[in-house]
Amino acid sequence: GGWQNRVDRQASVSVRPDWKRVDEFDLAKFAKNIPAAEQVAPTSEEDLLWCGFLDQYNDQYDRVATRSAVPLKRVENRDFYPVTTTDDPVIEKLAIDGAGNVFATDAILAHLMTSPRSVYPWDIVVQKLPGLLFFDKRDSSQFDYLTVNETANNPPSKSDDDPDGINTPERLSLEATMINQNFTQQILKSSKTRTNFDLPNPFYDPDDNDGMEPASVAYRYRKFDLGDGIQLVARTELHGLVKKKITGGSEDTQYMTAYALNEFDSAKGPGHAPSTASINWRDKIDSQRGAVLATELKNNSFKLAKWTAQSVLAGASQMKIGFVSRAAPKNAYEHTILATQFYRPKDFATQITLSVGGMWGIMRMLIKLFQTQPEGKYVLMRDPNKPILRIYAVPPGTFEEDDDDEEEEEEEKEGGN
């Protein structure tokens, strides 16, 4: 009975008359048609640079359970920097120095690598310069906001049962993104445990920070050799350090990523998903975590695959997932951590049927497709309502006039504060 709930979605960006369609694929099939020889991990991975710092994971969070749940705190003084590829000064320098010929961030790569699972519309900008390819996100896009229940049978939509509108896709997305940021910082110990890397955070300006400091993030710039002369350089992110006791009493330090899943519909009132489709976390998370995760894998298949791909790209040994629920179903501002769990990214990929070779196959296919195109600017777009991926050639100035308007608006906003 999907039809009565069918929502016609708008494209993430409107196609202009001067855009030229270059190609289109069926998103469900295109990954399956990539030759097996292309669906393999890179022949080599190499670290180029480390920037930023990491704090140590606080293992008290391993013991959180429903009875000993911990309120989620708001991190007011930490800045996060979801900077796109061509705005990253480190990538710019690496490109000038000839470190690679394809450049991207882990978030953009992971998005493309797992895109067959996507349901909502999205777009990525590709710039082809002489001998170089850059994958970017559009400045004013929703790209960095987490979706909630995107792949569920009944994804969230505006409804009369939600008069305050706290469960619309947009509001849920904002809520999930804030939860995720807060969670990643709360589970770390104080800065006394901090490990600083070779270079400081490239996006933090100590002179102009309004009392803010960067979040605990290490930017690990890595080069992946994809064969056929493709050298892909990516900025990847790690979120913390885990100390694991190993035999003989010594400690092994591992890199981790951290993400939060969130529950918003614990009350099963009218208009909520049928009781079979989701389970109340407080009842199940301690005794049947596998069942909770299985439901999340169905409802958030794309988001979980993307996090896993990001963790694999960053070379994290551990991926920490938090299970965070609203303190009360109608309160979208206060949350509780009910449980946390470590997963090994490659094992987790297997568990969620995400083929690491298949991820790289998708990137190889897209890179080779752009290698055959003339220099210029392109937009990769998912159709808002059908699983179709389209590629458009667009005029070189596309999206750039938007920036000026925005900067003026930003300045007005800042002036008005």
Side-chain angles (χ1 to χ4, degrees):
W3 280 106
Q4 72 272 28
N5 312 346
R6 198 183 135 76
V7 178
D8 260 336
R9 300 193 175 90
Q10 298 299 309
S12 58
V13 63
S14 43
V15 176
R16 302 182 187 175
D18 53 359
W19 291 16
K20 200 168 86 240
R21 192 157 83 205
V22 171
D23 214 332
E24 73 172 41
F25 312 95
D26 179 318
L27 206 46
K29 294 198 189 105
F30 94 109
K32 296 187 178 74
N33 297 336
I34 295 169
E38 303 271 294
Q39 298 200 40
V40 289
T43 43
S44 71
E45 302 179 6
E46 174 195 344
D47 287 342
L48 301 177
L49 275 175
W50 287 81
C51 305
F53 61 79
L54 290 176
D55 292 331
Q56 193 181 317
Y57 171 67
N58 179 352
D59 52 17
Q60 286 179 329
Y61 282 89
D62 286 350
R63 295 191 283 282
V64 173
T66 307
R67 288 210 179 123
S68 54
V70 176
L72 185 71
K73 298 197 217 29
R74 279 196 206 149
V75 183
E76 304 284 7
N77 65 335
R78 292 283 176 98
D79 263 339
F80 296 81
Y81 304 96
V83 176
T84 189
T85 314
T86 49
D87 289 347
D88 180 334
V90 180
I91 285 184
E92 184 180 18
K93 182 169 186 336
L94 290 169
I96 291 167
D97 294 347
N101 47 23
V102 181
F103 296 86
T105 66
D106 56 351
I108 292 169
L109 290 173
H111 188 98
L112 293 169
M113 289 171 155
T114 58
S115 60
R117 297 179 182 226
S118 67
V119 173
Y120 291 165
W122 51 265
D123 60 277
I124 295 282
V125 179
V126 182
Q127 306 202 54
K128 184 173 183 186
L129 304 175
L132 299 175
L133 265 185
F134 293 89
F135 286 84
D136 269 307
K137 56 179 194 193
R138 200 166 38 81
D139 272 357
S140 51
S141 69
Q142 293 296 302
F143 186 82
D144 296 301
Y145 288 95
L146 300 178
T147 64
V148 177
N149 289 9
E150 173 174 351
T151 56
N153 289 338
N154 287 336
S157 58
K158 289 192 171 63
S159 114
D160 300 339
D161 303 316
D162 174 26
D164 300 330
I166 61 171
N167 294 336
T168 62
E170 300 74 18
R171 292 285 293 277
L172 287 171
S173 179
L174 192 58
E175 180 184 358
T177 306
M178 298 316 295
I179 288 172
N180 191 63
Q181 290 188 347
N182 289 328
F183 175 77
T184 63
Q185 303 303 300
Q186 181 169 339
I187 61 173
L188 302 173
K189 291 183 172 172
S190 74
S191 55
K192 293 190 191 71
T193 63
R194 184 162 294 178
T195 298
N196 284 296
F197 291 97
D198 309 338
L199 294 165
N201 186 311
F203 313 117
Y204 173 69
D205 180 354
D207 301 326
D208 177 22
N209 61 26
D210 291 339
M212 302 293 278
E213 59 167 330
S216 165
V217 175
Y219 299 105
R220 183 181 195 177
Y221 291 84
R222 310 187 78 196
K223 176 157 81 172
F224 300 93
D225 183 347
L226 301 192
D228 296 324
I230 300 170
Q231 300 282 341
L232 170 65
V233 171
R235 180 185 83 231
T236 68
E237 287 190 10
L238 295 158
H239 304 134
L241 294 168
V242 197
K243 299 270 194 220
K244 292 271 182 199
K245 292 268 189 294
I246 44 178
T247 45
S250 59
E251 279 187 330
D252 179 29
T253 301
Q254 299 182 340
Y255 297 118
M256 65 178 264
T257 52
Y259 304 99
L261 289 166
N262 63 300
E263 177 187 50
F264 67 95
D265 56 354
S266 56
K268 289 287 163 281
H272 283 279
S275 51
T276 49
S278 73
I279 48 185
N280 186 320
W281 286 8
R282 283 170 177 79
D283 297 343
K284 301 281 195 228
I285 197 126
D286 298 337
S287 56
Q288 293 171 273
R289 186 156 315 160
V292 171
L293 186 67
T295 303
E296 286 302 300
L297 276 173
K298 197 162 107 286
N299 294 343
N300 290 293
S301 157
F302 181 37
K303 177 165 73 175
L304 277 158
K306 207 153 58 161
W307 289 345
T308 309
Q310 280 180 255
S311 304
V312 168
L313 288 167
S317 305
Q318 300 283 347
M319 172 167 91
K320 176 59 101 176
I321 291 191
F323 295 85
V324 177
S325 180
R326 287 182 183 169
K330 295 228 171 353
N331 179 349
Y333 300 99
E334 288 177 52
H335 299 90
T336 307
I337 305 172
L338 299 178
T340 76
Q341 179 90 35
F342 270 125
Y343 299 95
R344 291 181 171 278
K346 287 194 171 141
D347 298 347
F348 196 67
T350 308
Q351 190 179 335
I352 67 172
T353 63
L354 174 66
S355 149
V356 173
M359 293 175 3
W360 288 106
I362 289 174
M363 276 324 294
R364 282 192 185 89
M365 190 212 88
L366 290 171
I367 291 165
K368 288 179 176 174
L369 186 144
F370 284 110
Q371 284 179 334
T372 63
Q373 295 298 323
E375 283 158 26
K377 191 180 252 189
Y378 297 86
V379 174
L380 266 167
M381 273 180 86
R382 187 204 188 281
D383 183 280
N385 299 300
K386 296 191 288 290
I388 290 175
L389 186 59
R390 295 196 180 89
I391 299 177
Y392 292 92
V394 303
T398 307
F399 306 134
E400 293 186 5
E401 70 279 8
D402 305 355
D403 298 357
D404 302 339
D405 300 348
E406 265 172 37
E407 275 169 24
E408 280 164 28
E409 278 172 32
E410 281 298 308
E411 279 164 21
E412 280 167 29
K413 267 192 229 150
E414 283 172 16
N417 281 353

